Amino acid sequence: KRNAPERAPRAPEQAPFFLPTTEGLQPRFDLERKKAGDNGEKQEPLDRTRISTIEALSGLARTLYQAEETLNFALVVEYLKGLNPSAVDLEIRTLPVTDNLRAVRAFLRAVTVQLRSKREFELVQAYLQVFLGVYADVIKENAGELEAPLSELRAECRAQWSTVDGLIRYSACMVDFMRTSK
């Protein structure tokens, strides 16, 4: 009698068996699906067999496709800047190459546009080094298809490097002048 509960425990009202999530590599809760069910609308049942046919796009791939549609490639660098180095490496390594190299072309274009903006040269070079290390064989196999974006990137890299090299030489010259002018 002492340890007997005063009333029996009840299950919470309308507690879901599982929380619905969106498709992709990073699971996120799908709050829109719950809202649609609250309005009295009938929800379509979730097809669990469709999971094997899902082509999961990474966040970088989605950002690249969005930037390609809106021609706002600054989104790509901003997205990558928000990640830690190992996450950047993972995002670059998981870019899809089965979509007629769309993601590869978009990445090359994003890097070229960022170099043209004359900001964050070293960061872009680091991203480009990882990208070329991972996809060098893919680029070599599809050199004909990627010739235009690669030549554009090469010309922009040379132009920006000559600017950076000139600034380094100027700074070295000024340091040498100040040191010897005592």
Side-chain angles (χ1 to χ4, degrees):
K1 276 188 168 183
R2 262 192 319 192
N3 294 334
E6 294 176 9
R7 57 187 154 129
R10 288 187 293 158
E13 296 177 17
Q14 298 179 352
F17 179 72
F18 64 92
L19 294 175
T21 57
T22 59
E23 300 170 353
L25 295 176
Q26 295 177 345
R28 297 175 203 247
F29 296 118
D30 189 6
L31 302 176
E32 283 75 31
R33 185 178 297 160
K34 183 179 184 300
K35 288 178 186 173
D38 290 344
N39 297 336
E41 300 171 7
K42 187 173 181 179
Q43 288 183 333
E44 59 185 52
L46 184 63
D47 185 11
R48 295 279 180 206
T49 61
R50 206 181 79 166
I51 291 175
S52 63
T53 62
I54 293 175
E55 183 176 322
L57 289 177
S58 66
L60 177 59
R62 282 192 299 268
T63 307
L64 282 169
Y65 293 159
Q66 179 185 5
E68 192 177 42
E69 292 170 4
T70 62
L71 298 177
N72 184 8
F73 288 99
L75 294 172
V76 176
V77 176
E78 290 302 318
Y79 174 77
L80 289 173
K81 281 173 39 179
L83 302 174
N84 62 27
S86 62
V88 170
D89 185 48
L90 178 67
E91 290 283 342
I92 290 175
R93 288 180 186 277
T94 57
L95 281 177
V97 292
T98 58
D99 60 349
N100 198 19
L101 301 174
R102 181 180 172 200
V104 172
R105 281 192 187 106
F107 188 85
L108 291 172
R109 180 117 189 253
V111 169
T112 304
V113 168
Q114 186 64 28
L115 284 172
R116 269 194 204 121
S117 72
K118 298 180 178 170
R119 293 190 320 257
E120 300 164 357
F121 178 79
E122 295 87 2
L123 183 67
V124 171
Q125 289 295 319
Y127 294 157
L128 190 58
Q129 180 183 3
V130 173
F131 178 80
L132 291 175
V134 172
Y135 294 103
D137 53 343
V138 173
I139 292 172
K140 187 186 285 186
E141 290 172 7
N142 301 295
E145 296 176 39
L146 297 172
E147 183 177 359
L150 285 172
S151 62
E152 188 179 338
L153 175 64
R154 182 173 146 201
E156 198 58 43
C157 279
R158 283 186 177 170
Q160 295 308 317
W161 172 247
S162 68
T163 302
V164 170
D165 188 42
L167 291 172
I168 291 172
R169 289 176 189 262
Y170 176 78
S171 298
C173 182
M174 290 302 291
V175 168
D176 190 37
F177 174 75
M178 296 296 215
R179 190 175 44 135
T180 59
S181 67
K182 286 185 175 182

